[in-house]
Each structure stands twice: as C-alpha cells, then as structure tokens.
Amino acid sequence: MRISVEQLASIVNGTVEGDAKAYIENYSKIEEATDGCLTFLANPKYTHYIYSTKATAVLVRKDFKPEHELSTTLIRVDDPYETLAMLLNMVSSQEPVKKGLEQPCHIAQGVNVPDDAYVGAFAYIGRNVTIGKNVKIYPQVYVGDDVTIGDDVILYPGVKVYHGCKIGNRCIVQSGAVIGADGFGFAPKEDGTYEKIAQIGIVILEDDVEIGANTTIDRATMGSTIVRRGAKLDNLIQVAHNVEIGENTVMAAQVGVAGSTKIGKNNMVGGQVGFAGHITVGDNNGIGAQSGIPNNLGSNLRVIGSPAINALDFARNQVYIKRVPQMAQDIKQLKQLIDELKKEITS
C-alpha cells in the first residue's frame, strides 16, 4: 500500500500538520517506525517517543499539544487507536478471499455449504450442521453434529465445536479454541470416587463475539453457557459450565471463570483474574490483573487484588506494605527503649 498523507487524512477525516505530500507505505509501533511508516500515539506513556520517532506520520488526538519540536507529520483525529484499527481492517480486507472446498475434507450428507463459504483441507463437518453465508472454516476444524454457524463466521485452524453449539453472526474463533467440551461436573460417592455428571447443555456465542486461541468454553450441565453479543475473550481463558458473560465484556489472557457465574456487560477484566463459582458480577467494572473475585460484585467499580478491593485502597495499601520493614525496625527500637525505661524506673 502506498498512499499520501493527504489522501490518508481525507479517508480518516483528519487534519494534517506537516508534510501532506509525503507517502505512507507501512505501519509500525511509534518506537520502531522508520521512514515511510504511519504510527499512532494513544497512550500518554509513549508521548516521549513522538519527539524521536522516524515515522513519516503519526496519528494523534486533535487536542495533542507537543512540548518540543517535531520532525514528523501529525494527522489529528478524534481517536488515534480507533482510527488505526479502521485502517488496519481496510488493509486486511484487501487480502485474497478464500472460497470453495479443499480436499480432503468431510462434510456430512445433506449439509448445505453456501457457494461463498470456504472449507479447508481435513476439516470435519458433522450431520445437520447449518452454515451461514461467507463462513470461513480453516483446515483441521471439527464441527460436531447439529451445530449452527451464522453468517461471516471465521473458524481458524484446529478449532473444535462440539455437538449442538450455536455460533452467531460475525464471530471469530482463533486456533485451538474448544467450544462445548464437557463442564467439570462430578458427584462424590461414599467410597471416595466420583460419578461423572452428564453435560447435556450447549454453548451459545451471540453475534460479534471473538474467542482467542486455546480458550475453552464448557457446555452447560443443563441449558446454555452463553457469551453475549460483542464480548471479546483473549487467549488461554477457561469459561466453565453454565457461565454467562455479558455484552461487550472483554477479558485478557488466562482468566478463569468457575461454574454458573454471571458476569454483566461492558466489564474490562485483566489477565489471570479468577472468578469463584455461583456469583454475580455487575456492569461497567474494571478488574485489575491477577485479581480474585470470591463474592458478588456490584457495578461501576474499579477493583484489584486477591480478594479484590477498591483500586485506590489497594494502591494505598501497597504504599504501607513497602514501609513494613522500616516499621518493624522502628517497633523493635521502641521496644528496646521501653525496656530500658522500665529498668530505670525499677532501679
């Protein structure tokens, strides 16, 4: 792709400050950019890089005010990160579109594969599967019996979708993800062994959900495990049976959600957060990385820690924790002084 700064700015409805005739040929991070690259500045932590970057142009907010002289051209937009996402999606959409059936693959008799769909080599599609328009099923994908797949879905190599599960429109499931494996259900017996409890429910992914690589979403014991519309789950996440994850909730890698927990909408969950089972989490929360959520959580909160507490309280506590060694030394010295005073009084 080769495009002038002026042309690119017109596409993103931005204003140019600098050399509008310069050409963009690639994208890069601000600290690694070279001549011909477009980059962006969205996080204030990276502001210092804008004064040394070799990028030809940088997407910045309209209210950005440089403190030093710049050698790069600025493209001022409302939201640099959102603008970059739009541009990268445009580039991605220009890649060749896969269509048709690659052989060998197995498609059960009676399953209709639309003409604009793609099924890769060694894919397996079971009985009574419904496949929507423009679906992409990459090599070595397994789709079990009675699965429903909506329009514009992408199942990347090695995805496994167990029987009966339902995937909505425009979902993306990354490589190695498993949708609909048995939930972890076992009944303890008197002799100390466990009886497996049949998991007869399903998993439902609503529209516009993305599931990361090697993430596992267990089928319900009864009913459905549900990931609501617009939710985004990162890699290596475990979602247990009968969990519900709300609309537009995002989860970073290695989150674990125990069974029957209900998580509301628009939550932002950091990496390695653990949710106990059978609890309810409200809406619009920010949950810091490695937090433990053992009990119900309300809405509009910012929490971190294990067990999680208010983020400001957590920050204050960390200050006190750093002082503990000195406080212990102070207490030791005070004790010595008290002992000496006792001896003086006694004598």
Side-chain angles (χ1 to χ4, degrees):
M1 180 199 75
R2 191 170 190 269
I3 187 173
S4 72
V5 171
E6 186 176 42
Q7 291 171 320
L8 191 145
S10 67
I11 292 173
V12 301
N13 195 29
T15 56
V16 178
E17 194 171 299
D19 185 1
K21 302 300 181 182
Y23 279 90
I24 300 296
E25 297 179 343
N26 206 349
Y27 297 85
S28 180
K29 296 190 295 184
I30 191 168
E31 68 272 27
E32 299 176 358
T34 57
D35 186 43
C37 287
L38 173 71
T39 188
F40 73 106
L41 177 62
N43 189 330
K45 292 181 179 179
Y46 290 85
T47 300
H48 62 284
Y49 285 116
I50 199 169
Y51 304 111
S52 59
T53 185
K54 304 300 183 183
T56 294
V58 183
L59 296 168
V60 298
R61 291 189 179 278
K62 289 183 175 179
D63 59 358
F64 172 71
K65 295 179 180 179
E67 297 179 353
H68 308 287
E69 186 177 351
L70 299 173
S71 60
T72 186
T73 295
L74 301 183
I75 303 176
R76 296 184 179 273
V77 294
D78 291 327
D79 187 330
Y81 197 62
E82 183 178 338
T83 301
L84 181 73
M86 181 192 74
L87 290 171
L88 294 180
N89 286 334
M90 289 174 58
V91 172
S92 178
S93 66
Q94 295 174 7
E95 296 178 358
V97 177
K98 287 182 174 289
K99 291 183 180 180
L101 309 180
E102 293 180 352
Q103 297 299 333
C105 66
H106 173 83
I107 301 173
Q109 187 174 0
V111 173
N112 178 51
V113 180
D115 292 339
D116 59 359
Y118 163 70
V119 179
F122 299 101
Y124 180 100
I125 299 175
R127 299 187 302 273
N128 301 317
V129 170
T130 300
I131 300 175
K133 299 175 181 178
N134 195 37
V135 167
K136 304 290 182 283
I137 299 175
Y138 279 78
Q140 298 182 331
V141 169
Y142 171 85
V143 179
D145 297 345
D146 303 305
V147 167
T148 299
I149 301 174
D151 298 339
D152 302 303
V153 168
I154 301 175
L155 304 180
Y156 280 107
V159 168
K160 305 295 185 287
V161 185
Y162 283 40
H163 60 279
C165 295
K166 301 180 185 299
I167 299 177
N169 300 318
R170 298 174 301 280
C171 291
I172 299 173
V173 185
Q174 299 288 345
S175 293
V178 179
I179 311 298
D182 282 356
F184 193 66
F186 299 90
K189 299 170 67 174
E190 291 184 0
D191 63 0
T193 62
Y194 292 87
E195 181 76 20
K196 183 175 175 63
I197 300 171
Q199 308 289 292
I200 63 172
I202 62 171
V203 172
I204 297 175
L205 307 183
E206 294 188 343
D207 295 346
D208 301 301
V209 166
E210 180 156 353
I211 305 299
N214 295 318
T215 285
T216 56
I217 304 177
D218 292 346
R219 67 194 314 106
T221 305
M222 295 175 287
S224 302
T225 302
I226 305 174
V227 182
R228 296 291 184 189
R229 179 182 61 83
K232 315 295 183 187
L233 276 58
D234 197 3
N235 304 332
L236 296 166
I237 288 174
Q238 158 63 10
V239 178
H241 60 84
N242 291 94
V243 165
E244 182 176 328
I245 296 176
E247 293 182 4
N248 300 316
T249 284
V250 294
M251 292 182 172
Q254 298 182 352
V255 168
V257 188
S260 299
T261 284
K262 311 299 181 189
I263 298 174
K265 61 185 179 181
N266 298 313
N267 288 289
M268 298 183 69
V269 183
Q272 297 185 332
V273 171
F275 293 88
H278 303 272
I279 64 172
T280 300
V281 175
D283 304 330
N284 306 306
N285 293 304
I287 303 174
Q290 296 188 326
S291 294
I293 312 296
N295 301 306
N296 293 343
L297 187 68
S299 297
N300 304 303
L301 301 172
R302 299 293 177 267
V303 299
I304 190 171
S306 186
I309 60 174
N310 177 275
L312 290 177
D313 292 337
F314 180 87
R316 294 189 189 100
N317 290 346
Q318 294 306 300
V319 173
Y320 294 136
I321 288 171
K322 290 178 180 179
R323 296 176 181 173
V324 166
Q326 183 60 50
M327 292 170 65
Q329 184 65 30
D330 292 345
I331 291 171
K332 183 179 179 180
Q333 292 174 355
L334 285 171
K335 186 176 182 300
Q336 290 174 346
L337 289 172
I338 291 170
D339 290 341
E340 291 173 3
L341 286 171
K342 283 181 178 179
K343 288 178 181 178
E344 290 180 9
I345 292 170
T346 302
S347 61

